[in-house]
Amino acid sequence: MFSFKNIVDGNLSYLKKFFLFHWPLAVLTLATGAFGILMLYSVAGGSMLPWAEPQLMRFVVGFGVMAIISFIHIDFWRSLTIPLYFSSLLLLIAVMFYGEGTGAQRWIDLGFIRLQPSEIVKVTLVMALALYYSTIPILAQSRLLWLIPPVLLICIPTFLVFSQPDLGTSLLILTSGLAVMFLAGVSIWYFVLGAFAGIGLISSVFMTRGTSWQFLTDYQLGRIDVYLNPSLDPLGAGYHITQSKIALGSGGLSGRGFMQGTQSQLDFLPEKHTDFIFTTLAEEFGYFGSVGLLTIYALIVIFCLLSAAKNQDRFGALLTSGLAVMFFLFFFVNMAMVMGLAPVVGVPLPLISWGGSAMLVLLGAFGLIQSAHIHQPRN
Amino acid sequence: MRKLFSEKNTEIGRKSVSRRILLLGLGKMTLIGLLAWRMRKLQIEDSEKYRLQAEENRINMRLIPPERGLILDRRGRELAINVGNYKLVITSEKTRNPKKTLGKLAELINLDDEEIDKILKDINKRSPFVPVTIAEHLSWESFSKVVLNLPALPGITPEMGLTRYYKKASSIAHVVGYVGPVSRKDLERFESPDPVLQIPKFQIGKTGVERELEEKLRGKASLSKVEVNAAGRIIRETERIMGFSGANLRLTLDNHLQEYCHQRLSGLSASCVLMGVNSGQIIALASMPSFDPNKFVFGISQKDWDSLLNNKLRPLSNKAVSGAYPPASTLKMAVAISALENGIISKSDAFDCPGHFDLGNQRFHCWKKKGGHGRIDLKEAISQSCDVFFWEVARKVGIENIRLTAKGLGLGTKFDLPLSSITKGLIPSKEWKRKKLDQNWRVGDTLNAAVGQGFTLASPLQLVVMTSRIASGRAVRPQLVKSINGKSKIQTSFPELNYSRDSLSIIRDGMFLSVNNSKGTAFKSRIKDETQIMAGKTGTSQVRRISLEERETGVLSNDQLPWEQRDHAIFVAYAPYKNPKYAVSIIIEHGGSGAQVAAPIGRDILLKAFDSDKKLIV
């Protein structure tokens, strides 16, 4: 289909590609990462170790990976979709047997990085669905029979992640998958139907509670209970939510100042360098800081969506918008969680939370978005 | 099928994607708006509330216990002090193997396996940075042994707290009292207990001055506000509100005389009070047997407690203030003053004492029943303690007048001293008997009361106040606290008594004769030194009823009776007669005759007091 030369530079020179690069998006990505390193420096009590320095290194590496992916033609990535998707599924299965850690953070230690297959599968699933919907006939996509492959594509990784068990990530995978289906133009009635089914499923989860048919573990149900009523357990599971709300609230309009947040500096915040890092930011930089970060995130999403809308290539458009949805879900769920709007599900704040796997995967996804942007069909 | 793949379809697809992107984008922006709105609620509207909660999170209050005030005697000699409490704590995060460290420690100090297990359990319950107490109240030797070996004992920290220590412990036990760990009962005593009392093993006054002046002695704890992290580890101190140490108390007691009294009464179940006649200052107040208050400081052992409680000589009771005894003949002075003041008798009136007194068909026996005292006047009646004389007088004076005079002399009055369980004693009235026993007052009751028997009860403290009032002519009140933190708490002048000088001087003469006349009851105990002449009054209070048969066969002497049935020996005195300085009262439970047993002790105490004055001048 295309020569190696085509893979590397397509019909464009490197210089041209450099100019076609989506610079605003790249700058926002960079700014977010910098913000994250700053916060990691703060939560360590004003020290580059143990978090800020390794995070900086990873970010540099990740940014390089992103650049390389961007410069490779999108069609190459498209051709790799199927092997990537299935190898990520294999990794998910492998991690169940050979993985380290329990529950939400199952990983495979590759030496230089702890690989979390559940992170990778988020991207490969979007790729697979984008491939599927850019291949099948448009008019067929709303037909019932044609819905079976994408539903399987979504449900297999969702189930595998759910059984790790990692409820939060599995819901994220499910939702991003459904979003790609929605973007592809699958009839809206299926989603309405699905919503009803979802409500039914959720109520059945609670109806079957305590019976041998119980879907969720007691631990997961407990977290939902505490989310609904944090005062149930102010020093246990509800502690996270209560303390993070205190941190957020005490930040006020302009914050308590860099490295002056008592909640994070005195360790009242749980997971302050990972899932709850937003609370530190909000405590130290206040409403301005938190809305600032929210704006950056919103702009990233908007730029991606605009790029996707203009993209003539259906794969590229679906991939870009699907990954944008995934990115959105990341930060939305994380922020909603720390603000007490959603249960504590263990989703990191994209590009900011400590953690190599999630950041590398995200930067890789941005690489794909850039590649789709650069290599879009131009008449 | 072919139709599905037409170019047109691709175009339709692209447009549909754009539409869906727009739809989804709008949805996302709505959700982002929701987040921003939520942030506004948290960070702007409720900011104050959360800021406050963050402060509460971070600030912990720590109390630093104040140093308890010292208790000194009138010359500044230490009675109750604070000494170092050597203790050892272990911080588990500083040692790799607490069990091994404790094992090594056990080679240096007494620490059995059971205790080690308990400490290890304690360690596991707490955060690793919280120090756990291993041992307290170590001797200096074992403490220094541990300190010397510290390098080999990782995690062990020597600490020094303060704890109460009583010098001359048992001689001052009843006055100073003792402290002990705060109990729930202690907390109930205060309306809003000082938070410092919640500190584990904090010491609070349990009896005596320690208890009654607790709040002055305790002082105020310093408050240290510290910033803590979520685990409770102290990060730094942010503020310190200084408290103050407890006030130092100087008592009116003279430690040397106190010790002397204590020794002089040893072996007896007795108590005595030595008081300044004009000042009311209590120089010595001893009760025997006594106990070691230091045993209570860390919480007394059950065995020691039981042995104190089961001792029939009641070592825990301060008999000098809480013991109520029939005052016996020492009450005769009150009867005499009452009779003179009410004009019932004049100083020269005399009565015949045949050795008994008949009231209807009831016969009252004078202590000198063989032949009686014969014709006897007031002074002689006091000095020889003639019962018949006072029965004659009392019948005319009546109980109400006797009661008023006795009260005026300090009997039946509860004095306000910082001591535990001070008795009010009892001087009965007609109304009292009616209320209490639902019986009418009878003349026989008056006769019994006139010789300090029957319902009458008094404590050595009350008797010494009575003696001081007679000697000084002033309404002297007893005082125990000389100064608090150097500020004098002494009342220096007292109003004159409402009795004529004549009456008082006749009584004093009677008391003089009682000691210094060869017929006087306490003649054998007189002081020969002209400058220290003693005046006094003996009393022997009967604790059993002598039956008619016993009267006929001869009253049993004290030696023939079991201890519990023997008479109480009482003596009150003051000296020097001409210029009174000290008054003393002694009651020896079941000691026998006041003249034989109590009077010599009274004399010795007074002599010792003069002796100690002389030494002071030289």
Side-chain angles (χ1 to χ4, degrees):
Chain A
M1 205 170 167
F2 38 69
S3 67
F4 180 75
K5 189 168 179 293
N6 277 355
I7 294 167
V8 178
D9 58 5
N11 298 318
L12 304 161
S13 68
Y14 286 114
L15 193 67
K16 189 86 194 252
K17 283 187 183 187
F18 188 75
F19 283 115
L20 287 172
F21 206 67
H22 198 312
W23 280 107
L25 191 59
V27 168
L28 287 174
T29 314
L30 205 63
T32 318
F35 220 159
I37 289 157
L38 196 67
M39 289 330 295
L40 288 172
Y41 175 78
S42 171
V43 293
S47 159
M48 287 305 285
L49 286 171
W51 299 310
E53 198 179 292
Q55 183 86 345
L56 179 64
M57 314 254 276
R58 284 181 200 150
F59 190 75
V60 170
V61 171
F63 211 76
V65 169
M66 181 189 106
I68 292 167
I69 293 175
S70 324
F71 280 68
I72 294 172
H73 200 285
I74 189 67
D75 286 347
F76 174 74
W77 299 118
R78 181 188 161 120
S79 68
L80 275 186
T81 299
I82 291 166
L84 280 177
Y85 176 78
F86 283 103
S87 35
S88 64
L89 281 193
L90 281 177
L91 278 174
L92 264 185
I93 294 163
V95 88
M96 294 180 80
F97 300 105
Y98 306 110
E100 293 169 54
T102 51
Q105 254 86 48
R106 273 187 171 263
W107 68 78
I108 292 174
D109 204 335
L110 296 182
F112 65 100
I113 194 164
R114 286 173 168 181
L115 202 63
Q116 283 182 41
S118 61
E119 299 287 343
I120 298 168
V121 84
K122 285 177 201 162
V123 177
T124 57
L125 174 65
V126 172
M127 287 172 80
L129 288 167
L131 179 67
Y132 178 77
Y133 281 108
S134 62
T135 312
I136 67 158
I138 295 284
L139 295 179
Q141 64 193 12
S142 283
R143 293 191 185 163
L144 202 56
L145 208 64
W146 291 88
L147 284 178
I148 294 170
V151 166
L152 282 176
L153 287 177
I154 295 169
C155 284
I156 294 166
T158 302
F159 175 76
L160 287 173
V161 172
F162 174 76
S163 57
Q164 275 189 2
D166 186 351
L167 179 65
T169 311
S170 71
L171 285 175
L172 279 188
I173 291 168
L174 179 71
T175 318
S176 1
L178 291 175
V180 178
M181 287 176 73
F182 177 80
L183 286 163
V186 173
S187 170
I188 213 130
W189 294 110
Y190 287 115
F191 293 97
V192 174
L193 212 68
F196 279 114
I199 290 166
L201 183 73
I202 289 167
S203 39
S204 68
V205 161
F206 282 94
M207 303 271 277
T208 58
R209 178 175 199 173
T211 69
S212 52
W213 293 92
Q214 189 169 311
F215 282 93
L216 301 177
T217 63
D218 284 336
Y219 166 76
Q220 288 164 334
L221 284 168
R223 278 199 157 184
I224 293 169
D225 280 346
V226 172
Y227 156 65
L228 295 173
N229 186 7
S231 58
L232 269 182
D233 189 9
L235 287 175
Y239 178 84
H240 293 200
I241 296 167
T242 311
Q243 293 298 340
S244 80
K245 275 163 82 178
I246 291 174
L248 281 168
S250 66
L253 189 64
S254 54
R256 309 194 70 171
F258 183 53
M259 304 214 327
Q260 301 298 313
T262 57
Q263 286 287 102
S264 58
Q265 300 295 337
L266 297 172
D267 293 335
F268 283 99
L269 293 173
E271 306 283 328
K272 59 178 181 176
H273 60 293
T274 59
D275 295 356
F276 280 80
I277 197 165
F278 180 67
T279 52
T280 305
L281 185 145
E283 186 186 23
E284 299 192 350
F285 297 109
Y287 187 62
F288 292 143
S290 47
V291 167
L293 182 70
L294 197 59
T295 309
I296 292 177
Y297 280 150
L299 283 175
I300 290 176
V301 171
I302 288 169
F303 284 144
C304 289
L305 291 181
L306 285 177
S307 161
K310 274 191 268 172
N311 199 330
Q312 304 277 334
D313 176 37
R314 193 163 157 78
F315 176 73
L318 284 173
L319 182 67
T320 305
S321 51
L323 291 175
V325 170
M326 182 200 82
F327 180 75
F328 166 80
L329 285 172
F330 252 109
F331 75 79
F332 177 78
V333 171
N334 178 278
M335 286 186 176
M337 170 180 91
V338 300
M339 284 180 218
L341 290 172
V344 177
V345 284
V347 174
L349 191 63
L351 298 177
I352 291 191
S353 284
W354 158 260
S357 200
M359 194 173 64
L360 270 179
V361 169
L362 264 173
L363 286 170
F366 280 110
L368 290 174
I369 290 168
Q370 292 282 6
S371 171
H373 183 79
I374 295 166
H375 303 98
Q376 63 184 285
R378 288 185 175 80
N379 303 320
Chain B
M1 222 31 184
R2 186 139 295 278
K3 202 176 146 202
L4 290 172
F5 286 95
S6 69
E7 276 298 310
K8 209 179 162 195
N9 281 344
T10 316
E11 182 60 21
I12 294 165
R14 207 181 64 77
K15 276 190 179 156
S16 116
V17 168
S18 300
R19 219 175 28 242
R20 289 285 168 98
I21 285 175
L22 186 69
L23 218 58
L24 208 68
L26 284 176
K28 283 178 193 168
M29 291 312 129
T30 314
L31 289 175
I32 288 174
L34 180 76
L35 288 182
W37 173 81
R38 175 70 173 174
M39 280 177 201
R40 208 191 76 84
K41 165 100 175 115
L42 286 173
Q43 297 197 283
I44 294 174
E45 277 177 39
D46 299 342
S47 172
E48 276 305 301
K49 182 179 104 188
Y50 288 119
R51 185 70 62 98
L52 210 69
Q53 287 182 7
E55 282 298 293
E56 280 171 12
N57 256 346
R58 126 187 128 90
I59 300 296
N60 250 8
M61 303 287 188
R62 284 183 78 225
L63 286 170
I64 300 160
E67 191 176 332
R68 199 172 174 84
L70 306 180
I71 301 179
L72 311 168
D73 88 337
R74 64 186 296 117
R75 311 231 181 275
R77 291 180 287 238
E78 290 166 338
L79 303 177
I81 56 169
N82 304 312
V83 293
N85 167 19
Y86 302 109
K87 58 180 180 181
L88 296 173
V89 297
I90 183 164
T91 316
S92 61
E93 69 174 2
K94 290 184 193 150
T95 170
R96 250 184 237 150
N97 187 345
K99 199 172 174 180
K100 203 173 142 202
T101 307
L102 288 173
K104 271 195 221 158
L105 187 66
E107 292 166 17
L108 297 171
I109 61 167
N110 270 338
L111 207 61
D112 57 43
D113 290 347
E114 215 171 284
E115 282 171 292
I116 290 179
D117 277 351
K118 212 178 136 227
I119 296 161
L120 286 173
K121 259 186 214 155
D122 240 20
I123 289 171
N124 288 333
K125 260 188 276 171
R126 286 158 221 258
S127 310
F129 55 84
V130 175
V132 171
T133 304
I134 300 169
E136 275 191 282
H137 316 304
L138 291 171
S139 67
W140 171 245
E141 287 92 88
S142 26
F143 187 70
S144 52
K145 233 193 276 172
V146 173
V147 173
L148 213 63
N149 288 294
L150 273 185
L153 299 164
I156 305 273
T157 317
E159 276 187 8
M160 210 186 86
L162 284 176
T163 190
R164 206 58 155 170
Y165 179 72
Y166 301 101
K167 289 184 162 183
K168 312 287 178 199
S170 60
S171 70
I172 56 156
H174 292 110
V175 178
V176 172
Y178 53 82
V179 295
V182 178
S183 67
R184 192 182 301 159
K185 233 171 134 191
D186 291 318
L187 290 176
E188 282 164 8
R189 272 166 58 199
F190 304 100
E191 230 169 76
S192 52
D194 193 309
V196 75
L197 298 181
Q198 310 280 1
I199 294 176
K201 293 185 178 171
F202 187 81
Q203 294 171 347
I204 190 173
K206 298 278 187 180
T207 63
V209 171
E210 290 273 35
R211 178 193 168 105
E212 302 304 319
L213 296 175
E214 164 66 26
E215 266 145 296
K216 290 211 159 62
L217 285 165
R218 189 196 303 147
K220 186 123 185 76
S222 298
L223 193 65
S224 163
K225 283 190 182 176
V226 290
E227 195 172 76
V228 296
N229 69 6
R233 186 196 292 271
I234 293 161
I235 304 296
R236 65 191 168 100
E237 186 174 65
T238 58
E239 195 187 349
R240 180 176 280 215
I241 300 165
M242 291 307 290
F244 47 84
S245 305
N248 291 340
L249 293 187
R250 199 177 263 219
L251 301 182
T252 58
L253 289 189
D254 181 300
N255 195 15
H256 290 173
L257 290 171
Q258 176 75 17
E259 257 192 293
Y260 178 79
C261 291
H262 179 75
Q263 281 162 14
R264 191 65 184 79
L265 296 180
S266 67
L268 301 168
S269 178
S271 57
C272 72
V273 185
L274 176 68
M275 188 162 113
V277 164
N278 298 298
S279 65
Q281 294 182 21
I282 295 170
I283 312 293
L285 188 149
S287 176
M288 281 301 279
S290 189
F291 60 94
D292 181 359
N294 289 315
K295 278 190 178 164
F296 285 86
V297 173
F298 314 132
I300 192 166
S301 74
Q302 191 64 40
K303 195 180 135 220
D304 288 344
W305 176 246
D306 285 344
S307 88
L308 285 173
L309 271 192
N310 296 333
N311 189 334
K312 66 176 178 179
L313 303 185
R314 308 191 316 286
L316 288 174
S317 149
N318 182 2
K319 298 180 183 108
V321 299
S322 55
Y325 308 91
S329 304
T330 55
L331 197 72
K332 285 175 182 163
M333 278 90 82
V335 178
I337 293 171
S338 191
L340 289 169
E341 289 294 302
N342 288 296
I344 307 292
I345 52 166
S346 73
K347 58 181 176 180
S348 51
D349 281 352
F351 291 95
D352 280 318
C353 168
H356 56 82
F357 179 84
D358 291 322
L359 180 71
N361 56 4
Q362 213 179 346
R363 174 160 283 192
F364 287 75
H365 292 274
C366 186
W367 70 270
K368 193 177 176 185
K369 54 186 187 295
K370 276 186 190 155
H373 291 96
R375 187 122 189 114
I376 194 165
D377 70 3
L378 179 56
K379 282 185 200 170
E380 291 164 334
I382 291 174
S383 72
Q384 295 168 37
S385 204
C386 175
D387 293 336
V388 172
F389 180 94
F390 284 96
W391 283 325
E392 291 281 359
V393 172
R395 192 165 58 166
K396 290 176 186 151
V397 180
I399 187 65
E400 296 306 327
N401 283 328
I402 293 173
R403 192 176 109 85
L404 278 177
T405 313
K407 283 242 165 194
L409 290 172
L411 301 177
T413 310
K414 186 175 171 182
F415 291 107
D416 183 27
L417 284 177
L419 292 172
S420 301
S421 353
I422 299 175
T423 182
K424 198 183 170 197
L426 177 63
I427 302 297
S429 67
K430 290 176 180 172
E431 198 193 332
W432 171 85
K433 192 182 176 192
R434 207 176 305 124
K435 267 193 189 158
K436 192 84 183 173
L437 302 173
D438 198 21
Q439 283 171 9
N440 283 327
W441 189 266
R442 295 180 311 177
V443 183
D445 294 329
T446 308
L447 301 191
N448 275 331
V451 295
Q453 295 284 162
F455 301 119
T456 56
L457 291 171
S459 67
L461 174 70
Q462 289 170 330
L463 293 181
V464 83
V465 170
M466 177 189 81
T467 311
S468 293
R469 287 187 179 182
I470 292 169
S472 67
R474 290 181 178 273
V476 176
R477 298 186 76 81
Q479 302 189 71
L480 188 59
V481 180
K482 196 169 181 212
S483 64
I484 296 179
N485 261 353
K487 226 176 110 192
S488 173
K489 293 286 162 187
I490 287 295
Q491 187 179 345
T492 44
S493 67
F494 299 94
E496 269 190 50
L497 287 173
N498 252 342
Y499 313 128
S500 71
R501 284 174 189 215
D502 278 356
S503 312
L504 286 173
S505 90
I506 291 162
I507 307 302
R508 290 177 197 143
D509 285 350
M511 289 173 79
F512 171 81
L513 293 174
S514 163
V515 179
N516 299 293
N517 185 287
S518 58
K519 280 186 184 169
T521 50
F523 182 67
K524 281 180 190 154
S525 301
R526 70 191 180 282
I527 296 173
K528 286 164 189 159
D529 185 332
E530 284 290 321
T531 61
Q532 297 173 357
I533 298 287
M534 174 171 82
K537 180 80 197 79
T538 59
T540 303
S541 85
Q542 207 176 287
V543 292
R544 67 198 177 99
R545 208 183 165 80
I546 297 169
S547 65
L548 214 58
E549 299 97 90
E550 199 186 323
R551 289 258 176 234
E552 279 159 10
T553 55
V555 176
L556 292 169
S557 77
N558 277 306
D559 304 338
Q560 295 166 290
L561 287 167
W563 185 79
E564 296 85 354
Q565 291 185 22
R566 292 179 194 171
D567 300 333
H568 295 321
I570 305 178
F571 185 62
V572 299
Y574 67 90
Y577 170 65
K578 290 234 171 84
N579 184 20
K581 188 164 183 198
Y582 294 115
V584 69
S585 72
I586 299 147
I587 295 184
I588 298 155
E589 289 183 348
H590 311 294
S593 148
Q596 283 166 29
V597 185
I601 297 176
R603 173 201 59 203
D604 290 351
I605 291 171
L606 286 172
L607 282 175
K608 192 76 188 174
F610 290 128
D611 201 33
S612 126
D613 283 350
K614 263 189 219 150
K615 273 186 199 149
L616 214 72
I617 293 160
V618 177

